[in-house]
Amino acid sequence: MTNLEMRVQTLLSKALGWALFHSLWEGAAVTGVLFAALCVIRSSRIRYFAACAAMLVVLGGFAVTLWRLMPDRTETAPAILLAIPHAPPDEVQSPPQMLAQFQMAEILPWLAPFWIVGVFFFHLRSVASWMAARRLRNRGVCCAPDPWSRRLAQLGARMRLTKPVALLETCLAGVPVVIGHARPVILIPIGMLAGMPANQIEAILLHELAHIRRRDYLANLLQTIVEGFLFYHPAIWWISSVIRAERENCCDDLAVATSGNAHEYAAALT
């Protein structure tokens, strides 16, 4: 056994490899349940909650599986345990089954370093995206006209928001966007406030205020953290797409309920 193999073939790497392997079928099972639920649920809020719960269940299943497979800290002779293969639990087990288990036990520990590199890469990408959002908030922006700032405060009161929200015009974003949680800011592309009817502008602002009321900026940050840990799982990316779609639907419903004019809101989105 080479030095690299000795570093990889550890009890911790084996536990992590098996946890990654088991998370695949665990995530597939959770995805199947979520898909069946989405087929019968029509409420965007319940669909959003179900998708968020599914993502947390997949993450929790991975964490619990890893914890249960972790080596015992009181182990006194790990080298001997590594050298002696485990006896088959069933004496009638066929040699091909034993060979398949042995091959998986040898291959799965190699997943651990690749998973660590992937987690580091995706979290580094998330930090870079967060820094880009911070720059977007501070560069190429100017204060919106006072009438629209006052109107935004009135709309925020209708949304029952307790924190102040700033309204800025930007030349770097092509669509309205909310940045920040503690001190939220709504960025509007330059020219939109002057180029669209006032009722449609208010509808768009209500949508962005709905994101702030629902704390979606913070929820999205937590979502990207989970995506970073489970980046290898196709089910996580599908669940994430459901969460983002239903998040927008929830804000649409809240904006329409506040404005009371679904037709004007649809025209603004168009």
Side-chain angles (χ1 to χ4, degrees):
M1 180 178 293
T2 65
N3 187 34
L4 177 61
E5 290 176 334
M6 292 180 62
R7 291 178 179 272
V8 174
Q9 296 290 342
T10 63
L11 294 177
L12 182 60
S13 296
K14 289 184 177 181
L16 182 55
W18 279 108
L20 293 171
F21 172 77
H22 287 302
S23 70
L24 294 177
W25 67 262
E26 292 171 351
V30 173
T31 302
V33 175
L34 176 62
F35 180 81
L38 294 178
C39 291
V40 298
I41 298 174
R42 292 295 176 262
S43 171
S44 58
R45 293 180 61 183
I46 299 178
R47 291 166 67 93
Y48 177 77
F49 175 79
C52 291
M55 175 173 282
L56 293 178
V57 168
V58 177
L59 178 64
F62 171 74
V64 170
T65 303
L66 178 60
W67 177 75
R68 297 189 63 178
L69 294 174
M70 287 287 287
D72 189 357
R73 293 182 180 273
T74 61
E75 202 108 23
T76 56
I80 298 177
L81 292 177
L82 283 174
I84 302 176
H86 293 286
D90 190 356
E91 294 183 357
V92 300
Q93 190 175 29
S94 62
Q97 291 176 326
M98 295 174 59
L99 179 61
Q101 286 189 0
F102 176 77
Q103 290 176 342
M104 290 190 64
E106 292 295 320
I107 293 174
L108 289 179
W110 290 92
L111 298 179
F114 290 101
W115 178 79
I116 294 174
V117 172
V119 169
F120 176 79
F121 170 77
F122 277 91
H123 283 163
L124 186 63
R125 189 186 69 167
S126 299
V127 172
S129 299
W130 178 80
M131 295 177 63
R134 300 294 297 181
R135 288 195 300 268
L136 185 65
R137 176 176 179 167
N138 299 320
R139 294 183 180 180
V141 298
C142 61
C143 294
D146 290 339
W148 276 114
S149 297
R150 291 193 296 268
R151 185 54 181 159
L152 179 66
Q154 296 172 358
L155 295 175
R158 290 173 59 183
M159 278 278 185
R160 298 193 298 274
L161 287 175
T162 57
K163 61 180 65 176
V165 181
L167 181 63
L168 301 177
E169 291 187 288
T170 177
C171 61
L172 300 179
V175 295
V177 61
V178 173
I179 296 178
H181 171 67
R183 295 182 298 170
V185 172
I186 298 178
L187 299 179
I188 296 290
I190 288 180
M192 178 175 289
L193 295 178
M196 294 181 63
N199 291 338
Q200 295 183 8
I201 293 295
E202 291 181 3
I204 293 175
L205 292 178
L206 284 173
H207 178 92
E208 303 306 324
L209 289 172
H211 279 299
I212 297 173
R213 176 181 170 180
R214 289 168 38 82
R215 300 177 177 85
D216 285 338
Y217 184 83
L218 181 61
N220 187 65
L221 288 178
L222 298 177
Q223 181 180 343
T224 56
I225 293 175
V226 177
E227 291 174 349
F229 283 111
L230 301 176
F231 67 92
Y232 61 92
H233 209 312
I236 286 298
W237 296 107
W238 180 76
I239 294 174
S240 289
S241 66
V242 173
I243 291 176
R244 289 188 169 89
E246 296 303 330
R247 178 183 294 148
E248 296 300 322
N249 292 336
C250 289
C251 291
D252 291 340
D253 294 342
L254 187 55
V256 171
T258 304
S259 65
N261 192 336
H263 181 269
E264 195 70 32
Y265 183 74
L269 294 181
T270 303

